[in-house]
Amino acid sequence: MATAELAGKHLVLGMTGGIACYKIAELTRLLVKAGATVQVVMTEAATQFITPVTMQALSGRPVYTSQWDARVPNNMAHIDLSREADAIVIAPASTDFLAKLAHGMADDLLTTLCVARECPLLVVPAMNRQMWANPATQRNVAQLRADGVETLGPDSGPQACGEVGDGRMLEPEAVYEAIASFFAPKVLAGRRVLLTAGPTFEPIDPVRGITNRSSGKMGFALARAAQQAGADVHLVAGPVALDTPWGVFREDVQTAQQMHDAVMRAVPDYDIFIAVAAVADWRVDHASDHKIKKTVDHRLPSFTFVENPDILAAVARLPHPPFCVGFAAESGDLDVHGEEKRARKNVPLLIGNLGPLTFGRDDNEVVLFEASGQKKLPRADKQALASTLIAEIAKRLPDTSLIS
Ligand code: C5P
């Protein structure tokens, strides 16, 4: 999540009756942390599962539960609340509530608010697997989708009732990601993005190897931003300790050669390639298949190195290359090396990390190198910077790579 990623967004968070209500406490915390204003509205049934006091404390705003709430001077809570909102999110959305929505019923504050809305409506279903599979529920959900309502989930897995199947509410983090994604500008709609991220690991023997200090954070942030911008995203990741961004297809590799092979297999299907990985330049010619032992006479082992393939240059050399973006981390003279590297690898855009090498940090400062010149972007946290970079990449895409 980028700092204040949802700043200025007003959400009505509607809660209906279901055990998944307890997960909404965490969702509220995530939304508030991202800068959103969260107005909680609960049905009578929802208050049986979690108290309005809890939701008020987490959202920092009074919770509404009744259409007849005397706090609203004009008694028009259903109109006022929905007019302030950029979106209404119903989580959890019960079987009964989905049925009411599908039929346009307005018999309490939350249903009335939904019917009176002018903003988008997102529902996050949560129910027992048989209730979800019931033809009536499926009919109602199909009707809601046809009416332009977004459904997030449900997930599959163990349920509170002890059964296993479809109907589980998405985890709060996944609901948060879907909401953030919903608000992101769709500058890469219809595009397909292939990325590399993280370090590579080049074995010396079964227990040792050569790697580097890349955390993978920038590459993962870009994968998330590209997904949020509407692209289909395939992320080829070296060994990193990061969760896969929501909605991104991830392929794990270890060595530069494996990363090269994975990219070359996938690349014909992609129209943008972003090489963020810190790929090892060399590998040991013949890795030992047993652990290399210390010798009694303290003789040092010696290794022969061979060069790894340059994945970015190889992709840029293809007869019909995707739009290629490279990254460069230098320990000095970025001005000179950045442009030289871009030209040598023959890519239209290269992003250079400014300042001292700072692995694993959550923020970054970069310069864009392209044939027409350089452009410095202000320091920002990696997720916010990733969204800016995706917008910069989108502006530079040739129209010919548009997918029809
Ligand atoms: O040559 P250098 O490693 O500085 O170049 C950096 C850019 O090239 C990055 O985008 C990196 O992902 C890519 N690269 C690559 N394969 C290599 C080395 C670098 O794709 N073997």
Side-chain angles (χ1 to χ4, degrees):
M1 175 197 301
T3 322
E5 163 167 85
L6 294 181
K9 296 288 179 234
H10 293 267
L11 296 174
V12 166
L13 182 54
M15 300 172 64
T16 71
I19 186 59
C21 275
Y22 82 92
K23 294 187 180 178
I24 308 308
E26 178 63 7
L27 174 63
T28 305
R29 200 186 63 78
L30 292 171
L31 292 168
V32 169
K33 194 170 153 209
T37 306
V38 180
Q39 176 59 63
V40 176
V41 177
M42 299 172 79
T43 63
E44 173 61 31
T47 65
Q48 298 292 322
F49 291 91
I50 188 167
T51 70
V53 176
T54 303
M55 299 313 300
Q56 174 167 347
L58 290 168
S59 65
R61 294 169 78 93
V63 170
Y64 288 89
T65 56
S66 161
Q67 206 162 353
W68 319 119
D69 196 316
R71 286 172 298 181
V72 184
N74 61 3
N75 251 322
M76 295 271 184
H78 60 294
I79 304 293
D80 290 3
L81 295 179
S82 81
R83 292 297 172 270
E84 285 167 8
D86 292 299
I88 300 176
V89 181
I90 307 293
S94 66
T95 320
D96 176 62
F97 199 80
L98 293 176
K100 283 180 172 163
L101 276 183
H103 291 88
M105 288 175 68
D107 63 353
D108 64 4
L109 177 58
L110 194 53
T111 46
T112 312
L113 223 148
C114 290
V115 176
R117 77 183 187 281
E118 286 175 334
C119 62
L121 175 61
L122 289 73
V123 295
V124 191
M127 64 199 71
N128 164 270
R129 66 183 176 87
Q130 285 295 8
M131 295 171 86
W132 174 251
N134 188 293
T137 308
Q138 289 302 310
R139 255 195 326 272
N140 291 333
V141 171
Q143 182 61 58
L144 288 171
R145 286 184 182 140
D147 293 344
V149 175
E150 287 268 338
T151 36
L152 311 180
D155 213 346
S156 197
Q159 305 200 308
C161 52
E163 297 181 0
V164 178
D166 290 346
R168 252 176 85 90
M169 199 185 87
L170 293 178
E171 291 305 320
E173 293 77 11
V175 178
Y176 173 84
E177 288 296 319
I179 294 170
S181 186
F182 178 81
F183 284 118
K186 299 291 173 273
V187 291
L188 291 184
R191 306 281 187 165
R192 296 174 59 80
V193 177
L194 178 65
L195 298 107
T196 62
T200 61
F201 181 87
E202 311 298 328
I204 292 174
D205 68 18
V207 292
R208 305 184 182 92
I210 303 168
T211 187
N212 59 66
R213 295 173 59 199
S214 166
S215 65
K217 282 182 184 171
M218 194 65 227
F220 275 57
L222 274 159
R224 177 177 184 263
Q227 192 281 333
Q228 293 196 343
D232 264 346
V233 182
H234 182 149
L235 173 63
V236 181
V240 293
L242 296 173
D243 291 335
T244 309
W246 189 75
V248 166
F249 176 75
R250 172 175 178 176
E251 187 176 356
D252 284 323
V253 295
Q254 295 275 319
T255 66
Q257 188 63 49
Q258 290 168 354
M259 188 174 272
H260 169 272
D261 296 350
V263 165
M264 287 317 207
R265 261 193 313 272
V267 75
D269 293 332
Y270 289 84
D271 53 3
I272 302 169
F273 176 55
I274 312 179
V276 200
V279 184
D281 291 316
W282 314 281
R283 66 175 181 273
V284 171
D285 194 3
H286 294 291
S288 170
D289 53 12
H290 59 271
K291 185 180 172 193
I292 300 168
K293 294 271 184 230
K294 272 195 281 191
T295 58
V296 277
D297 57 352
H298 304 290
R299 238 178 328 115
L300 296 176
S302 66
F303 302 104
T304 314
F305 287 94
V306 289
E307 203 167 301
N308 273 325
D310 187 317
I311 304 167
L312 178 58
V315 171
R317 270 197 309 270
L318 290 170
H320 302 288
F323 184 83
C324 287
V325 183
F327 268 75
E330 297 291 336
S331 46
D333 289 337
L334 180 66
D335 270 12
V336 183
H337 295 310
E339 180 48 26
E340 180 273 323
K341 194 167 281 187
R342 186 199 70 75
R344 178 163 44 84
K345 299 207 183 207
N346 194 25
V347 295
L349 182 63
L350 186 122
I351 297 159
N353 289 303
L354 257 185
L357 296 175
T358 46
F359 297 101
R361 281 181 65 131
D362 287 326
D363 63 349
N364 210 359
E365 194 175 10
V366 300
V367 188
L368 309 189
F369 293 93
E370 53 193 331
S372 57
Q374 301 181 12
K375 177 175 167 182
K376 183 170 174 292
L377 299 181
R379 176 169 289 281
D381 79 67
K382 284 185 178 170
Q383 196 58 65
L385 185 61
S387 302
T388 309
L389 289 174
I390 289 297
E392 292 284 350
I393 292 168
K395 276 195 262 176
R396 289 166 173 79
L397 292 177
D399 281 345
T400 47
S401 68
L402 267 174
I403 294 171
S404 55

